[in-house]
C-alpha cells in the first residue's frame, strides 16, 4: 500500500467544548485526513454551530466528518458522515447523498462485510488495543484486525489505543489508516502529536519530538 494514501482520523471526545476542539483542529488539520465531530449529546443545531466553528478556524470542509447525522452533513456541505451501529445503513444515506463519503463503525468480520455490502466507503474497526474509553475490555487485537482487512475490499481504519509506537504494527496488519482521540486531544502539544502520528504512518517508525 502506498504510504502517502494512509489516513489519520481525529475524533472529538464529546467532553471538550466545541470551541476548544475547533482551536485544537486549527493547529492539527494539516496533518490529518479527517476530523470527526462525534458528539452524541449535541443537537443538530449545535453540531452545525460546531462545524461553523471548525470552518472559521480554517479547517477545510473536505476534512470534516460528522458522526451519525447525515442530515447535518448534508446541511453543512462537508466531506463525510460516519455511521454507528444504530445509524441508517450506508446505502440509505448514499441514495440521498451520493457524493458524500460514508464510513461505518464495525466490531467483527460479519459487521464489516455487511457494511461493505450496504455501500460503506470505509469501515472503522476497533478497539484494537486496550483503551481508557473502553475500560475493562480487552482489545480485539492485531490478528482480528488483519482478518477484517482480508474480509473486505474497502479501506479499514483502526481505532483504539493506537500510539505512534504501535501504529506501524497496525498498518502492517493491513489497515489503511488509524483513528485517534486522546492520543492527540490529550497531548501537551496536539499539533506535534498529530505531526508525529502522520509522519509515523506515512514514513514508518517513531520520530524524535
Amino acid at each position: 500500500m502506498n504510504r502517502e494514501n494512509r489516513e489519520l482520523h481525529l475524533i472529538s471526545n464529546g467532553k471538550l467544548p466545541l470551541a476548544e476542539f475547533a482551536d485544537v483542529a486549527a493547529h492539527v488539520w494539516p496533518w490529518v485526513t479527517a476530523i470527526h465531530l462525534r458528539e452524541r449529546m449535541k443537537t443538530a443545531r449545535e453540531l452545525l454551530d460546531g462545524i461553523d466553528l471548525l470552518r472559521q478556524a480554517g479547517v477545510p470542509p473536505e476534512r470534516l466528518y460528522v458522526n451519525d447525522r447525515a442530515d447535518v452533513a448534508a446541511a453543512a456541505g462537508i466531506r463525510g458522515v460516519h455511521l454507528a451501529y444504530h445509524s441508517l445503513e450506508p446505502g440509505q444515506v448514499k441514495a440521498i447523498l451520493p457524493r458524500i463519503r460514508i464510513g461505518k463503525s464495525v466490531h467483527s468480520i460479519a459487521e464489516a462485510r455487511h457494511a461493505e455490502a450496504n455501500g460503506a466507503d470505509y469501515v472503522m474497526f476497533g478497539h484494537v488495543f486496550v483503551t481508557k474509553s473502553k475500560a475493562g475490555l480487552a482489545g480485539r487485537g492485531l490478528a482480528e484486525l488483519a482478518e477484517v482487512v482480508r474480509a473486505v475490499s474497502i479501506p479499514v481504519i483502526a481505532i483504539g489505543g493506537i500510539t505512534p509506537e504501535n501504529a506501524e504494527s497496525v498498518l502492517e496488519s493491513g489497515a489503511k489508516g488509524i483513528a485517534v482521540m486522546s492520543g492527540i486531544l490529550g497531548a501537551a502539544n496536539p499539533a506535534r502529536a498529530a505531526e508525529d502520528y502522520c509522519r509515523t504512518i506515512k514514513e514508518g517508525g517513531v520520530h524524535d519530538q
Side-chain angles (χ1 to χ4, degrees):
M1 180 186 295
N2 186 341
R3 282 185 175 269
E4 288 303 311
N5 292 330
R6 288 175 168 174
E7 301 183 21
L8 174 60
H9 292 232
L10 171 62
I11 302 175
S12 71
N13 60 14
K15 300 175 183 177
L16 200 65
L18 292 183
E20 292 183 28
F21 181 67
D23 184 62
V24 172
H27 294 89
V28 307
W29 75 259
W31 304 105
V32 303
T33 310
I35 295 176
H36 293 242
L37 270 186
R38 181 178 178 268
E39 302 286 330
R40 296 173 179 171
M41 304 305 293
K42 296 287 192 295
T43 65
R45 179 70 264 171
E46 288 170 327
L47 289 170
L48 280 171
D49 289 344
I51 291 169
D52 284 342
L53 287 171
L54 287 161
R55 296 175 88 160
Q56 290 166 18
V59 181
E62 60 269 20
R63 302 285 176 98
L64 294 175
Y65 289 59
V66 66
N67 282 39
D68 190 36
R69 298 300 298 265
D71 56 337
V72 172
I78 59 176
R79 174 71 173 102
V81 60
H82 186 84
L83 304 174
Y85 71 93
H86 58 264
S87 304
L88 296 172
E89 290 288 358
Q92 293 173 312
V93 176
K94 189 159 287 187
I96 304 168
L97 303 170
R99 292 183 177 85
I100 206 161
R101 191 180 189 214
I102 301 171
K104 179 84 170 181
S105 292
V106 301
H107 307 91
S108 67
I109 290 174
E111 289 182 8
R113 285 175 171 164
H114 180 82
E116 180 177 33
N118 282 274
D121 296 305
Y122 72 91
V123 293
M124 188 173 288
F125 173 78
H127 57 286
V128 176
F129 301 115
V130 172
T131 173
K132 291 180 181 178
S133 65
K134 304 286 185 182
L137 297 177
R140 291 183 167 85
L142 295 174
E144 189 170 348
L145 170 63
E147 290 176 359
V148 169
V149 170
R150 289 192 294 268
V152 297
S153 60
I154 56 177
V156 177
I157 307 299
I159 188 171
I162 301 173
T163 67
E165 290 75 22
N166 63 32
E168 188 66 17
S169 64
V170 170
L171 297 164
E172 287 174 352
S173 298
K176 173 74 177 291
I178 63 173
V180 178
M181 191 179 296
S182 60
I184 291 175
L185 296 179
N189 187 330
R192 289 295 299 272
E195 180 181 1
D196 199 42
Y197 273 108
C198 180
R199 294 184 63 189
T200 297
I201 67 174
K202 293 184 182 294
E203 300 173 16
V206 178
H207 298 266
D208 294 333
Q209 292 295 314

